[in-house]
Amino acid sequence: MEPNAGGPLLEIADLSKVYGPLKALDQVTLNVDQGEWLSIVGPSGSGKTTLMNIVGCMDQPTAGAVRLDGRDLSALGAKELTQVRRETVGLIFQKFHMIGHLTALENVMVAQYYHSLPDESEALAALGRVGLAERATHLPSQLSGGEQQRVCIARALINYPKLVLADEPTGNLDADNERIVLDLFAQLHEQGTTLIVVTHDPAVAAQGEREVRLDHGRIVQEIRHRAARPGQVLKEAGHVA
Ligand code: ADP
Ligand code: MG
């Protein structure tokens, strides 16, 4: 598939999420194209995780609309949302979320179990994609933090999701493992996967083609780091609100 070939994979319009008087998200409008790599930055409490959870079908907005891969999420029931989450989205978190008494391979197979039938060779191939085939039978306690995060990435990628959502994926990693994870993201990007990466780290954010900054639930800045397509003319970076 040619990266960036399609229109928007994700269309977010006037999205709000309130908790009493607190506006965790305040009328966010944002489109993400097929194959795009978008970074989301902003201070703690600015709404980044809330946004990822809504796009990842794990939370519902108070107002506004989210269209993901042509489907209006607000029109879907719980069962259909679960299906979209399993089939379209791969989620990567800062905390590793591995099941302690299962091996790396079994941790990947758990994700398959929810999707279809567990297939050991497929799970092993997913571990191979993140460079961990030889660690398949290790328990989480026998893996470094970086290796555990890569198992979680393998698990997120098992169903070849169109959209990968990563919420501070390198927050717990040292520089070497951060590089390995960013290289994996670059590979996914080359293969046409759409990536949204929340990060505190300006160097990680700069890997994306575009960066949006949230503050108090609003998009306050948008920066273009790279053209989405070779040859595309860069617009000047600047404030949007
Ligand atoms: P970030 O990921 O940018 O640090 P969050 O999206 O986690 O920010 O949170 C945005 C705001 O919403 C914060 O003020 C947070 O305290 C609040 N918030 C998030 N989840 C809840 C919840 N379940 N109940 C009440 N407030 C919440
Ligand atoms: Mg957060």
Side-chain angles (χ1 to χ4, degrees), residues 45 48-50 167-168 198:
K48 306 181 298 296
T49 294
T50 303
D167 194 352
E168 309 207 18
V198 168

Side-chain angles (χ1 to χ4, degrees), residues 19 22 24 43-50:
Y19 295 104
L22 179 90
S44 190
S46 58
K48 306 181 298 296
T49 294
T50 303

Side-chain angles (χ1 to χ4, degrees), residues 92-112:
I92 299 164
F93 305 93
Q94 177 172 9
K95 291 201 188 121
F96 303 135
H97 293 299
M98 284 185 75
I99 300 167
H101 62 275
L102 298 182
T103 66
L105 184 66
E106 289 161 347
N107 266 280
V108 175
M109 290 175 72
V110 167
Q112 285 178 316

Side-chain angles (χ1 to χ4, degrees), residues 112-136:
Q112 285 178 316
Y113 175 78
Y114 285 111
H115 185 249
S116 53
L117 282 180
D119 177 332
E120 191 172 317
S121 63
E122 238 178 41
L124 203 52
L127 282 176
R129 289 166 75 195
V130 300
L132 286 179
E134 316 88 76
R135 297 278 194 279

